[in-house]
Amino acid sequence: MGQTRGFCIMETGYAVEKITDGLLKLMNEMPFEKITVSDIVLEAGVGRASFYRHFDSKEAVIRHHMERLLKEWGREFEAIGKPEELGPSLLRHFYGHRQFYLLLYRCGMSHYLLEAIREKMELDNKSDQEAFPLSWFAGGLYGLVDEWMRRGMTVSPEKLGTEFSGKIG
């Protein structure tokens, strides 16, 4: 399997899951910068070639996992079929996967979330007129979630949504 922009093209598979689980476990035990590919494959119980068959870096593992989670949310959101549920459903997604998002924050990698949001909005493919307002929204959404992570995500998504909408409405 090849890679595109640091992401794994293969959506599922034993090796991808083992590598992801192994890296997340190691991130809970040691600083991200100290984790090596050798550490990951040892923890995952897969060969080094399997790692490089699917990923070009340990950062790509994180991006792939976040992409998978966001695609899962996208499918759930589309099944709801109510555009007004975008914000609440996204907050519930983050909260449901808070262990992963808090781990990203603790490892100083929450900016990956902003990158994912910007990519989902396809800002690079928009005109200036479309891109600037969307970029403002992306930054605001990221700022809200980043502050939520900084505070340990102890506030429920429902309460956060109510408090936030009351401040801007």
Side-chain angles (χ1 to χ4, degrees), residues 111-135:
H111 64 280
Y112 282 26
L113 183 54
L114 177 58
E115 293 171 16
I117 292 168
R118 291 178 51 79
E119 186 169 309
K120 286 292 174 203
M121 292 182 162
E122 300 178 338
L123 289 174
D124 292 341
N125 300 327
K126 305 282 187 212
S127 68
D128 288 353
Q129 188 175 7
E130 295 172 302
F132 292 129
L134 285 174
S135 182

Side-chain angles (χ1 to χ4, degrees), residues 53-86:
R53 185 175 305 119
H54 301 292
F55 301 105
D56 59 5
S57 67
K58 60 187 180 183
E59 292 83 3
V61 178
I62 297 301
R63 287 186 178 103
H64 169 71
H65 185 62
M66 189 173 357
E67 177 72 17
R68 187 184 64 74
L69 292 177
L70 290 172
K71 279 183 182 176
E72 178 184 300
W73 165 77
R75 287 189 297 271
E76 292 168 5
F77 174 67
E78 287 183 17
I80 294 170
K82 297 179 182 175
E84 66 275 11
E85 279 294 309
L86 175 72

